[in-house]
Amino acid sequence: MPPIGLELTDRQKLACAFRILGTSGFSENIAGHITLRAGDTHDLLVNPWGLWWEEIKASDICKVSPDAEVLDGKWDVTPAIHIHTELHRRRPDVRVVVHNHPYHSTVLAALGVLPEFLHQTGSMFDGDLAFVDEYTGEIANADLGADLADRIGDKSVVLLANHGVIVTGPTVEETTYRAATIDRQCRLMYDVLVTGRDHTLVTPGLRRSMKASLLERGTDFFWNGAVRALLRDHPEVVQ
């Protein structure tokens, strides 16, 4: 696999994830946040409140405690940080949590529809999709974050009614790849629904092997290429 050409720190990886998703249509201007568990601790790295995803650099990244206290950084963090702290608290398997309001995911969230397995790439979400069917307002405290985390359970890609999407994963690389893919699958679902015609699905028996292939072989392919392109055009991201 062609390398990136640079060994990235956690903060640099996170900054790259913001830029990659921010320029792919995943982010809604001022909205959204990504957290990464910092090393072997329970502290979280997160974007500062007030910067757009498209402008974040590694030096902008903040660190918060499991209780959302800012430990390090030049600015404050999002009031919705409790979406992340409570998910991380309940899910030791989750190292990364991505949340934003990508357009087509939000369309399906308003319709109460999950994307179906219309295309082989959608197989990477086999067994991982869920829908939270009630909008309860802004998640601005730990109790509301805990309620949402409980409703999400063990699923890793969740549409939130009248809100957006949450994607969780074990690494920045895999979670960014899955986040970059989910809105395309939602757009495909919407376009198929608009035709009003019958449609076919990838059969359940083929999804498991395709999912493994996409995540095991596709993650580095996606991440390395996206980061190489980013560093070519915006080398300041790692500063």
Side-chain angles (χ1 to χ4, degrees):
M1 186 72 67
I4 293 171
L6 180 68
E7 191 70 29
L8 300 176
T9 66
D10 280 350
R11 289 175 185 263
Q12 289 172 330
K13 286 183 180 181
L14 197 54
C16 287
F18 282 114
R19 295 285 188 106
I20 292 164
L21 294 175
T23 57
S24 70
F26 187 87
S27 64
E28 181 194 20
N29 48 65
I30 68 170
H33 9 90
I34 305 175
T35 49
L36 167 63
R37 195 185 303 276
D40 295 327
T41 74
H42 293 289
D43 298 333
L44 304 175
L45 301 178
V46 63
N47 51 313
W49 178 247
L51 288 181
W52 287 37
W53 284 22
E54 293 91 331
E55 61 178 329
I56 289 176
K57 303 191 299 292
S59 57
D60 297 321
I61 300 298
C62 300
K63 181 190 287 187
V64 299
S65 74
D67 295 318
E69 176 190 3
V70 177
L71 303 175
D72 180 43
K74 295 178 283 187
W75 298 289
D76 202 353
V77 300
T78 174
I81 185 63
H82 297 286
I83 292 176
H84 298 257
T85 57
E86 298 309 311
L87 266 174
H88 282 286
R89 196 187 307 277
R90 285 159 176 75
R91 297 279 301 278
D93 59 308
V94 166
R95 190 154 185 255
V96 183
V97 177
V98 176
H99 171 61
N100 214 311
H101 315 149
Y103 183 78
H104 291 92
S105 299
T106 306
V107 168
L108 292 194
L111 292 172
V113 173
L114 284 173
E116 298 178 26
F117 299 99
L118 301 168
H119 183 263
Q120 63 176 17
T121 304
S123 297
M124 74 164 67
F125 304 112
D126 186 34
D128 296 335
L129 294 168
F131 188 81
V132 172
D133 61 2
E134 181 185 8
Y135 178 71
T136 57
E138 184 180 14
I139 308 298
N141 59 57
D143 288 341
L144 292 172
D147 177 67
L148 178 59
D150 288 341
R151 286 189 285 166
I152 289 171
D154 63 354
K155 299 301 183 184
S156 63
V157 180
V158 182
L159 295 188
L160 309 176
N162 309 108
H163 191 164
V165 64
I166 289 176
V167 181
T168 62
T171 66
V172 173
E173 295 88 338
E174 181 179 311
T175 314
T176 304
Y177 178 35
R178 286 159 64 82
T181 303
I182 188 59
D183 199 51
R184 178 181 172 88
Q185 298 304 308
C186 289
R187 178 177 180 177
L188 178 60
M189 184 71 207
Y190 175 76
D191 287 345
V192 168
L193 289 174
V194 167
T195 69
R197 300 181 60 178
D198 291 338
H199 52 274
T200 60
L201 301 177
V202 177
T203 60
L206 297 175
R207 291 176 201 160
R208 180 176 296 182
S209 61
M210 180 54 66
K211 177 179 181 178
S213 177
L214 286 164
L215 295 180
E216 292 170 9
R217 296 189 293 176
T219 296
D220 287 345
F221 195 135
F222 168 85
W223 175 258
N224 290 4
V227 174
R228 285 194 302 267
L230 177 62
L231 293 177
R232 182 184 64 239
D233 298 333
H234 298 283
E236 77 284 355
V237 67
V238 296
Q239 296 174 359

